[in-house]
């Protein structure tokens, strides 16, 4: 499966992309806001690729490799994965690009294409992006992809507090209602 934008082609990763996965994830700058995503060894990139491939096999979607039309050079990665947020199923929008690709709008363009695909193919699942408060560039990408700040869903993440951005669709409205419901205290 491929997605196309004006400048970019997004395709499912293959084993041949492991070196690019490693190059992007071993760069400390690309993982500065999510240090647990950093990779130190090629074997870790191979394992990450395998998790991505397993998700594609199980769900029929996942992370895409992003590159220019007509180029084999990978710019980065963008996609979605299923997860839970406050006990509800959601799709998490992910984007990570090589530092050489920063500042040219590639992440926003790719994230917009993925958000559009998710809205068309998985409309029953809310689309969110988890962003660190200090990561202003990632916040801009989420906004460019059509997501809006959903402060009431903010939560603690693996590497710190996550601000939540969410696409507005019927599934997102249900998640917003669920998050607004009072929690009954439990007695033990």
């Amino acid at each position: 499966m491929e997605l196309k934008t004006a400048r970019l082609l997004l395709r499912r990763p293959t084993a041949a992309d492991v070196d690019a996965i490693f190059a992007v994830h071993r760069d400390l700058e690309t993982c500065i806001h999510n240090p647990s995503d950093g990779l130190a060894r090629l074997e870790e990139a191979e394992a990450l690729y395998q998790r991505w491939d397993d998700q594609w096999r199980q769900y029929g979607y996942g992370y895409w490799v992003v590159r220019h039309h007509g180029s084999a050079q990978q710019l980065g990665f963008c996609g979605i994965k299923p997860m839970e947020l406050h006990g509800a199923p959601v799709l998490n929008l992910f984007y990570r690009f090589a530092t050489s690709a920063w500042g040219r709008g590639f992440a926003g363009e790719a994230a917009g294409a993925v958000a559009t695909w998710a809205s068309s193919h998985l409309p029953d699942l809310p689309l969110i992006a988890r962003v660190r408060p200090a990561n202003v560039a990632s916040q801009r990408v989420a906004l460019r992809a059509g997501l809006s700040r959903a402060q009431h869903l903010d939560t603690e993440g693996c590497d710190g507090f996550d601000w939540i951005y969410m696409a507005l669709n019927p599934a997102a409205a249900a998640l917003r209602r669920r998050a607004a419901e009072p929690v009954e205290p439990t007695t033990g």
Side-chain angles (χ1 to χ4, degrees):
M1 175 186 317
E2 292 185 345
L3 302 178
K4 292 181 182 181
T5 70
R7 300 181 294 167
L8 305 174
L9 177 68
L10 288 72
R11 64 159 173 78
R12 180 179 173 170
T14 69
D17 295 308
V18 168
D19 287 338
I21 292 169
F22 184 53
V24 170
H25 288 83
R26 79 171 173 209
D27 183 336
L28 297 178
E29 282 189 81
T30 67
C31 296
I32 195 162
H33 296 284
N34 301 82
S36 67
D37 289 348
L39 303 179
R41 297 182 327 275
L42 184 62
E43 296 80 25
E44 294 172 312
E46 292 167 344
L48 182 57
Y49 161 73
Q50 192 59 57
R51 287 192 304 273
W52 291 1
D53 193 56
D54 290 346
Q55 181 188 318
W56 272 98
R57 291 173 199 248
Q58 182 175 356
Y59 295 101
Y61 60 84
Y63 295 163
W64 282 269
V65 175
V66 181
R67 57 194 175 96
H68 284 286
H69 289 284
S71 171
Q73 178 65 40
Q74 300 95 334
L75 300 170
F77 308 94
C78 184
I80 50 176
K81 77 173 182 178
M83 61 173 287
E84 284 194 3
L85 179 67
H86 302 296
V90 298
L91 295 172
N92 183 65
L93 178 63
F94 168 88
Y95 35 90
R96 179 161 293 132
F97 284 73
T99 54
S100 61
W102 288 5
R104 296 190 276 172
F106 297 140
E109 189 172 329
V114 170
T116 298
W117 184 92
S119 176
S120 296
H121 292 86
L122 302 163
D124 295 334
L125 290 171
L127 178 66
I128 64 141
R130 298 172 300 148
V131 180
R132 299 288 174 271
N135 194 345
V136 175
S138 187
Q139 294 168 27
R140 281 191 220 114
V141 171
L143 293 170
R144 184 165 178 212
L147 282 65
S148 300
R149 185 81 170 82
Q151 186 174 354
H152 64 288
L153 296 173
D154 291 352
T155 189
E156 194 64 34
C158 291
D159 291 315
F161 195 70
D162 287 333
W163 279 5
I164 304 299
Y165 288 75
M166 184 170 23
L168 300 177
N169 64 23
L175 181 60
R176 285 179 190 270
R177 285 191 300 276
R178 181 178 178 159
E181 292 174 0
V183 176
E184 295 291 324
T186 57
T187 57

